[in-house]
Amino acid sequence: MNSTRRPRRSDTRQRIQDVALELFAEQGYDKTSLREIAERLGVTKAALYYHFRTKEDILIGLYEDLTRPMDELIAWAREQPATLETKKEILRRYGDQLRDSAPMFRFFQENQAALRELTIGVDVKARMVTMGELMQGENPSLADRMRCLSALFIMHAGVFSLRHVEADPEDKRRAALEVAIELVAAAHTEPPH
Amino acid sequence: MNSTRRPRRSDTRQRIQDVALELFAEQGYDKTSLREIAERLGVTKAALYYHFRTKEDILIGLYEDLTRPMDELIAWAREQPATLETKKEILRRYGDQLRDSAPMFRFFQENQAALRELTIGVDVKARMVTMGELMQGENPSLADRMRCLSALFIMHAGVFSLRHVEADPEDKRRAALEVAIELVAAAHTEPPH
Amino acid sequence: MNSTRRPRRSDTRQRIQDVALELFAEQGYDKTSLREIAERLGVTKAALYYHFRTKEDILIGLYEDLTRPMDELIAWAREQPATLETKKEILRRYGDQLRDSAPMFRFFQENQAALRELTIGVDVKARMVTMGELMQGENPSLADRMRCLSALFIMHAGVFSLRHVEADPEDKRRAALEVAIELVAAAHTEPPH
Amino acid sequence: MNSTRRPRRSDTRQRIQDVALELFAEQGYDKTSLREIAERLGVTKAALYYHFRTKEDILIGLYEDLTRPMDELIAWAREQPATLETKKEILRRYGDQLRDSAPMFRFFQENQAALRELTIGVDVKARMVTMGELMQGENPSLADRMRCLSALFIMHAGVFSLRHVEADPEDKRRAALEVAIELVAAAHTEPPH
DNA sequence: AATGAATGAGGCTTCATTCAT
DNA sequence: GATGAATGAAGCCTCATTCAT
């Protein structure tokens, strides 16, 4: 009887971020104006500036929401033994993130050019590369590197690029995971113990 | 008489397209203004309008340069028997296109959001999907569809996403092709004769 | 009981005025925003509105601090006989004010255009003119009027415009006073007794 | 039958500068918006941007118009022998400039604070100081420096600060020149030949 | 005595586009 | 084959100010 009362401690900030993501994902970052965001929210543009210093700042908030879990996953992965089972688990967890933050992932993927020149280095791909490396063994061949990186790309494809395929999203996700695991397994060599 | 029969559409037209691609790829479509293009070319903005009706028209020219070979490859592929050898050849040819038009591919990949709302449907991905389908057998499983589509993604990755890997670009390309073929092969079943 | 009888208008009020003067003098009136003042003070903008009705009100406070002593000096001067000794004393006292309120004088001098259209007539120059007149004799020649007015300008110059001259500020002030007195003396004719 | 035909080679550029000076002088630089300038000219804001890159650029044009003659005068003065007659001539010429560019001088004087932070160092006062130095002898006393600098201030005062005095502007100018010459003469010592 | 949240007005600037020459 | 001049729409952002708490 408090938490749902009325706009608490800036519920607005969150709403701005939600609407922004929605529009950014729909139309692209550059094509989305603050006017639109404000209108859809029923506030004035100036209100946005009370909560965020710039348009870019809104984006940065979203970016951090996306990369925080990725970075946590990376940190966790670094502490695990480089077994195949670990790698599978990484892929599984990555798949979960992908599912939970699909619109955000899609947005960052489709707006790479628009985001490149931002003051903060928005670089989701760098994290994918890092993750790919976590799945390689020692001195991997070029082909193995490709396999590991591709495993991740495939999982993205499973969520975004099979939209035209009529099938249960969960099934697609699982199929992607399956292929990804195949690839990582092919590149795997048991670490020296 | 010139090297080509009809008075080839002025040289400037081509130069505009070249510079435009350069800038579009560098900074993104939305962030690149006609002023910039004109400046880098040493002409006025108005001059651009002599050669192209709109900014979008410049893009369309580029789009056609990219899709013409793709469409030709697709047409060719449709006429071939669906053997594994055919599929390998498709991948090889696709790889060549990817190499020859790398900046263009990259541009369309990184600007998906910006291009989505254009009056012409700029849809490179649709062609990738079509190509993926050409590599599937009859009634493919979800996983096989994934494999075939991913084969193509991997080839992109080989050109664009391994920039951080110090290695000969040709080697990377070959490694990508190798993995792509693996995937397509895994999904392949000899067609009924 | 406090050091002053009535509960002195809160300390914050004074601090606002101090900070405002500092910033107004540094950057100009128009370029200084209430946000900046509030930030440097560590309070919110809204707090300023508890103490002042408008931005202009802050300025008016400063203006009064500046003109009160000037007006007192003018009033005092009017009651004295128009002897040369009186005039010297006026210059001396004016010099003291100039020294004690240097930032304020400078601010009003450098922001004349910005302050011109304010609802209260901010007119420091009018007071200088009045003072200049107090130093003229009866029916002064144009040149004598110039001399008297200039005497005052020179004293300003002694404080503000010789910043590039490395010398003790007090010395500069004294030199300015000396020249000012010369000028007033040159314009002086002993009043009829 | 050509020079007065119709808007020649960008007559507009000059008109923008004229109107801008008018408004800048009237209301101050900060308070004058490009909208106002455009409106008074009967063009759109965007038209201003065809002729000037920024608002500041308009100002810089005016600034250069003001300082070019000052710098020429300074250069000329440096080549003359430092006789009293030379100094008088400098003051005379300075007076002419002051008369011819009165609005501009006034504007830069009354907007010092607003102009201080511009990217180009708008510094008219520095030139006055330089001129003052040209009128000093060797090793001038502080008081003599004051006299020479003040001579220039007085001439400004003669043009701007005696507006309340009903008298022919030319007479005022002459009176100011007279007093200025007095001061410079008092500071003068014949240079060693 | 002061804050958090918001507004309306308006600022400067950039853009794609047009058109007479 | 191209320029010079201009426009209308829109963008991001900042400001002084208000008001409920």
Side-chain angles (χ1 to χ4, degrees), chain A residues 25-26 28 30-31 110-114 116 129 142 146-147 149-150 153-154 161-162 164-165 171 182, chain B residues 25-26 28 30-31 106 110-114 116 129 142 146-147 149-150 153-154 161-162 164 171 182:
Chain A
E26 214 172 278
D30 282 329
K31 281 238 175 44
E110 297 185 340
N111 284 270
Q112 286 173 75
R116 193 170 319 139
V129 167
L142 253 186
M146 285 289 335
R147 285 185 186 91
L149 186 58
S150 297
F153 277 108
I154 287 169
S161 300
L162 255 58
H164 66 288
V165 175
D171 288 347
E182 255 171 52
Chain B
E26 222 171 88
D30 282 328
K31 280 234 175 51
R106 211 183 135 213
E110 296 185 342
N111 284 271
Q112 287 173 76
R116 192 169 321 139
V129 167
L142 251 186
M146 285 287 336
R147 285 185 185 92
L149 186 57
S150 296
F153 276 108
I154 285 171
S161 300
L162 255 60
H164 67 287
D171 288 347
E182 254 171 51

Side-chain angles (χ1 to χ4, degrees), chain C residues 87-105:
Chain C
K87 293 175 183 177
K88 287 187 191 172
E89 182 59 20
I90 295 174
L91 288 173
R92 260 180 240 117
R93 294 189 181 196
Y94 189 66
D96 291 347
Q97 290 185 9
L98 217 39
R99 185 226 301 117
D100 296 341
S101 308
M104 216 118 91
F105 270 101

Side-chain angles (χ1 to χ4, degrees), chain B residues 147-190:
Chain B
R147 285 185 185 92
C148 291
L149 186 57
S150 296
L152 297 168
F153 276 108
I154 285 171
M155 299 194 61
H156 282 249
V159 176
F160 306 132
S161 300
L162 255 60
R163 263 196 305 273
H164 67 287
V165 175
E166 301 166 28
D168 179 56
E170 259 319 286
D171 288 347
K172 291 193 257 182
R173 231 170 52 85
R174 262 192 299 270
L177 185 56
E178 181 186 327
V179 179
I181 289 178
E182 254 171 51
L183 279 163
V184 168
H188 182 72
T189 52
E190 208 55 35

Side-chain angles (χ1 to χ4, degrees), chain C residues 29 53-54 56-57 59-60 63 114-122, chain D residues 31:
Chain C
Y29 178 72
R53 276 185 337 92
T54 71
E56 197 178 330
D57 258 29
L59 180 67
I60 293 178
Y63 179 59
L115 307 184
R116 201 181 345 236
E117 303 279 350
L118 293 187
T119 60
I120 68 150
V122 163
Chain D
K31 283 238 174 45

